[in-house]
Amino acid sequence: MCGILGIVALKGNLDDVILDFKDGLQSLYHRGPDGSGWYISPNGRIILGHRRLCIMDTSELSAQPFFDESKNYVLVFNGAIFNFNELRLILQKEGYIFRTTGDTEVVLRSYQHWGPYCFNLFNGFFAIAIYDVKKDELVLARDRYGEKPLVLYRNSHYIAFSSEIRAFKALNFPLSIDKKSVGLYFKYTYIPEPHSIYKEITKVVPGTYLFIHNGNVQQHRYYTFSSQSKEHLTQQESRIVIRNLFEDSVKLRLHAKVPVAVFLSGGIDSTLVSYFASKIVPDIQAFTISFPEYPYLNEAEIASETAKVYHLKHEIVPIAKDLLHNNAMELLDGLDEPFADSSAIAAYTLFRAVKGRYKVVLTGDGGDELFAGYRKHVAWYKAMRFPFYLYPLFFAVSSMPLPANRYNPFADWFRKIKKFSELIRCKTSEYYDFLASFHQHDVLKDLIIHSECYDLLQLQSLDIHTLNDFLLRDFQFVLPSDMLRKVDAVSMFNSVEARSPLLDYRLVDYVFSLPEEWKLDGRNGKKLLREFFSDLLPDHVRKQRKRGFEIPLDLLLSSMLKVDSKIFDVTFVQKQGIFKQKGVERLKNMVRQGKIKEQAYLIWAYVVFQNWYLKYGED
């Protein structure tokens, strides 16, 4: 895992930015504290930089930028290719000689041999830049699902790429806030790809590669989801295939020259990852977050039972009120783009506990999107089949006020009822967008001046008829923009590489080809995992209901907000030209009156945005 940065001059050379390039690279220090390097092309029009986190190969021979022996190809690479040994053997038979033992050289040799087709062969996650000196051509590629970030900047003078937006700010590139992206952010709590908070910056679409030559950018897609049906296989036959793929995926992701740990929650995904990891690495270290002051949110007891069953070394990381507050402030300080998924605070706490002890951690990320594990999947399933005669009853219940205490089973049930009643009021073509949104337009129009949003992925015109359609949208939208964005950010803040075996493309393609009735029955998500791995899952995991990875957000906000904060100041807000004063005053009154829980997620999104704006938004 590393950080990459590069600039292509469209006019003249790089004289105007060369002095700032070191600052841009330094801004990515957290992604690669083990070393750095850069390269300037012979024509002086391209510069490539790299920050290194040593994991697969600690030798200096693998330091980047990495060159072939002719110096005709130059590589900077962020990520990990888990099947590199297999590819190395193929290339050696073709006559290629290797001088290193890691995956970096395999990436470059693969491109030399197969060209862009090599991206189809890589099993792993990556953001890759390869410069062909003779052709004066740069290729950029991003992994299939967006596990590794790759952002692109363009103006009339430069095209630049980076692992993070903050590097462009450090380069002093002109940037202007995209007001429509502000609307997207408040609607979803993050900014969906390919958009960014700035007009000049886009995010490279997962599963694509770009050719940059003579100032032109050509985008090509190398990966699409497999549609080949496996319905001719019985469930028992598919069970064997999936179990083998799952185990092999974990095995591949345990490969490293440094110790590897696992994150263990009370859920099915991380439980299975931990099980297979413990088969390969006995006594592997597992970490679990704990909320001792909030029993309803606490999964530590369940995880402890699992650790005993699987004979894992187990460490619980408690997060009390003070630590929650401190870590939230650290996270806010590190965001280079507004991102208000509050579960990032809990994830950040886990990676912070690992920092300096483990450079690699296996996670269960991607399991909910792949195996239909979210509540929204069950809600969609039920809404598509909900009888009309029950509508009045749900509408009546949903009009009742929320309980004062959010963190108990009844309050959780009541929130689901209210959300479901709002869902069934929508057209079926609007179900996905409603379930993906945290805030609807009628709420945002009172707060944001430019509350209109982009026609996101044309969701309104894409009817979702099957569960597989729904899961595909999750992989295109929620997974790269929210879940994987979160994991990359909080892990890299702490110089730790996160690996998710559930995002092995072989497993993803196979599961997507299976019938939807195997995955969801309207009662619980992850039906397939519960049944196919029933003998491996402890009963206390297999039978428990779904919990979100939440934090006590309203309590956190109560401890960190003051009504005299600058973010509520009239002059400051008017100067921004983003928010309506009346809407800001309403949020301020909620804070003053102690009614934060009524709009905790909206207030949090506002706080995150304003903290970002104070650091990055003002020139």
Side-chain angles (χ1 to χ4, degrees):
M1 194 76 67
C2 308
I4 60 175
L5 175 64
I7 308 173
V8 179
L10 301 177
K11 298 177 181 178
N13 54 38
L14 296 166
D15 288 349
D16 291 341
V17 296
I18 196 72
L19 294 177
D20 292 326
F21 189 81
K22 185 176 181 180
D23 292 333
L25 201 55
Q26 183 63 21
S27 73
L28 303 176
Y29 176 85
H30 52 284
R31 301 189 72 91
D34 295 335
S36 66
W38 56 86
Y39 160 85
I40 301 176
S41 64
N43 61 16
R45 296 180 58 189
I46 289 184
I47 184 168
L48 305 177
H50 184 263
R51 292 258 18 150
R52 188 182 187 192
L53 182 66
C54 296
I55 290 176
M56 301 289 267
D57 185 353
T58 58
S59 167
E60 284 301 313
L61 291 174
S62 290
Q64 299 180 41
F66 188 86
F67 306 86
D68 73 322
E69 66 278 357
S70 70
K71 299 293 179 77
N72 285 330
Y73 293 92
V74 190
L75 165 75
V76 289
F77 159 51
N78 168 32
I81 307 302
F82 302 116
N83 63 334
F84 73 95
N85 279 325
E86 174 187 335
L87 294 174
R88 182 202 303 276
L89 290 174
I90 296 172
L91 291 166
Q92 284 175 331
K93 290 179 181 178
E94 295 293 333
Y96 289 91
I97 298 172
F98 288 82
R99 64 182 189 272
T100 64
T101 60
D103 58 348
T104 300
E105 187 174 10
V106 172
V107 171
L108 186 56
R109 295 298 194 187
S110 295
Y111 184 76
Q112 286 179 285
H113 187 68
W114 288 295
Y117 180 74
C118 70
F119 306 132
N120 297 82
L121 304 177
F122 295 158
N123 187 345
F125 45 67
F126 52 84
I128 295 170
I130 300 174
Y131 177 54
D132 185 325
V133 179
K134 287 185 177 180
K135 293 182 180 179
D136 191 27
E137 183 176 73
L138 183 70
V139 62
L140 302 176
R142 192 175 180 202
D143 63 63
R144 294 169 177 83
Y145 310 123
E147 291 184 75
K148 290 297 100 192
L150 186 59
V151 290
L152 200 68
Y153 174 94
R154 182 164 190 170
N155 64 17
S156 59
H157 296 282
Y158 307 108
I159 296 176
F161 67 88
S162 177
S163 297
E164 298 184 20
I165 290 174
R166 76 181 73 248
F168 302 139
K169 197 73 174 179
L171 285 164
N172 295 312
F173 283 169
L175 294 167
S176 52
I177 293 175
D178 186 341
K179 299 294 179 62
K180 286 188 178 181
S181 286
V182 174
L184 285 173
Y185 161 74
F186 276 94
K187 183 176 175 66
Y188 301 105
T189 72
Y190 51 87
I191 299 172
E193 302 189 358
H195 308 294
S196 85
I197 191 61
Y198 295 113
K199 293 178 181 178
E200 299 82 2
I201 298 174
T202 56
K203 297 160 186 170
V204 175
V205 177
T208 66
Y209 64 91
L210 310 178
F211 277 125
I212 301 175
H213 181 66
N214 288 337
N216 297 314
V217 179
Q218 294 182 332
Q219 177 177 298
H220 304 269
R221 175 164 288 282
Y222 69 86
Y223 176 78
T224 55
F225 285 85
S226 173
S227 59
Q228 183 180 357
S229 174
K230 301 291 192 304
E231 292 186 49
H232 61 281
L233 292 182
T234 66
Q235 284 203 26
Q236 183 58 32
E237 290 169 329
S238 292
R239 178 176 181 267
I240 295 171
V241 173
I242 286 180
R243 285 170 70 125
N244 288 338
L245 285 172
F246 203 131
E247 183 170 8
D248 190 57
S249 175
V250 172
K251 182 179 180 180
L252 282 176
R253 284 155 181 79
L254 285 169
H255 181 88
K257 293 292 181 68
V258 295
V260 181
V262 295
F263 282 167
L264 175 64
S265 70
I268 292 175
D269 304 326
S270 65
T271 296
L272 288 174
V273 170
S274 298
Y275 166 77
F276 285 115
S278 68
K279 281 185 63 179
I280 300 163
V281 182
D283 297 324
I284 193 170
Q285 179 70 56
F287 292 87
T288 301
I289 197 168
S290 165
F291 292 96
E293 298 172 63
Y294 312 103
Y296 181 67
L297 301 177
N298 196 4
E299 295 184 317
E301 185 175 339
I302 296 171
S304 293
E305 290 183 46
T306 302
K308 291 176 184 176
V309 173
Y310 294 159
H311 305 291
L312 306 171
K313 293 179 181 177
H314 191 218
E315 181 175 328
I316 295 175
V317 181
I319 178 168
K321 290 180 182 178
D322 290 345
L323 184 61
L324 185 69
H325 180 275
N326 292 340
N327 286 356
M329 297 308 297
E330 287 183 12
L331 180 63
L332 289 181
D333 188 57
L335 293 175
D336 63 356
E337 180 179 69
F339 183 82
D341 182 340
S342 59
S343 67
I345 302 171
Y348 175 82
T349 301
L350 266 177
F351 281 104
R352 193 172 186 272
V354 169
K355 182 178 182 179
R357 301 164 62 186
Y358 291 89
K359 283 187 175 182
V360 179
V361 174
L362 301 192
T363 76
D365 292 296
D368 285 313
E369 291 82 4
L370 182 58
F371 293 102
Y374 288 123
R375 292 172 173 177
K376 67 181 181 182
H377 297 135
V378 177
W380 173 83
Y381 183 95
K382 290 181 176 179
M384 294 293 284
R385 298 159 177 79
F386 197 68
F388 286 101
Y389 64 83
L390 289 178
Y391 277 39
L393 175 62
F394 268 74
F395 294 159
V397 173
S398 68
S399 65
M400 299 168 60
L402 282 169
N405 181 6
R406 286 172 51 90
Y407 306 111
N408 61 65
F410 174 74
D412 189 51
W413 171 83
F414 197 81
R415 286 164 59 199
K416 287 191 289 186
I417 293 294
K418 288 182 74 72
K419 183 82 171 180
F420 188 79
S421 70
E422 294 172 7
L423 172 65
I424 58 179
R425 294 174 195 263
C426 300
K427 299 176 183 177
T428 56
S429 61
E430 299 171 346
Y431 279 1
Y432 184 87
D433 192 55
F434 176 85
L435 289 168
S437 303
F438 263 76
H439 306 107
Q440 301 303 316
H441 183 259
D442 60 339
V443 174
L444 299 182
K445 69 181 181 180
D446 295 329
L447 177 64
I448 308 170
I449 294 174
H450 301 277
S451 59
E452 72 276 10
C453 298
Y454 292 97
D455 184 12
L456 178 63
L457 298 180
Q458 299 179 325
L459 287 175
Q460 298 300 334
S461 62
L462 289 174
D463 285 346
I464 294 176
H465 301 287
T466 69
L467 177 65
N468 282 342
D469 292 339
F470 197 113
L471 297 177
L472 175 59
R473 302 296 178 267
D474 280 351
F475 263 76
Q476 294 172 327
F477 170 43
V478 179
L479 187 67
S481 302
D482 183 7
M483 302 305 167
L484 297 179
R485 152 74 170 147
K486 171 184 67 180
V487 172
D488 177 81
V490 299
S491 62
M492 286 288 91
F493 286 165
N494 294 288
S495 304
V496 178
E497 178 172 290
R499 298 177 176 179
S500 179
L502 288 158
L503 291 176
D504 187 303
Y505 79 93
R506 301 168 302 166
L507 181 62
V508 172
D509 283 349
Y510 192 84
V511 173
F512 260 97
S513 72
L514 298 177
E516 65 171 0
E517 59 267 22
W518 291 12
K519 304 171 188 177
L520 187 65
D521 59 13
R523 295 188 300 273
N524 291 299
K526 299 194 179 130
K527 176 184 175 184
L528 187 150
L529 286 184
R530 294 175 195 274
E531 294 182 356
F532 283 16
F533 295 86
S534 59
D535 58 319
L536 304 181
L537 287 169
D539 285 345
H540 63 268
V541 173
R542 184 169 56 85
K543 294 180 179 179
Q544 73 159 325
R545 56 174 179 74
K546 171 68 176 177
R547 301 195 199 191
F549 192 42
E550 297 185 48
I551 64 164
L553 186 57
D554 53 330
L555 300 174
L556 169 64
L557 286 166
S558 297
S559 72
M560 65 187 293
L561 275 183
K562 294 181 174 60
V563 293
D564 61 352
S565 169
K566 183 177 180 179
I567 67 174
F568 294 120
D569 180 75
V570 174
T571 303
F572 170 67
V573 172
Q574 288 178 341
K575 183 180 177 182
Q576 285 180 290
I578 294 173
F579 301 101
K580 296 178 180 179
Q581 191 61 51
K582 183 178 179 180
V584 173
E585 194 63 31
R586 178 172 170 268
L587 298 184
K588 182 178 179 179
N589 286 334
M590 288 182 178
V591 175
R592 179 185 289 115
Q593 297 168 16
K595 297 181 179 180
I596 291 175
K597 68 179 178 63
E598 294 179 11
Q599 287 286 351
Y601 290 107
L602 184 60
I603 295 172
W604 175 246
Y606 180 77
V607 169
V608 171
F609 182 89
Q610 294 292 37
N611 273 269
W612 168 83
Y613 188 92
L614 287 169
K615 184 170 182 179
Y616 289 109
E618 295 180 309
D619 292 326

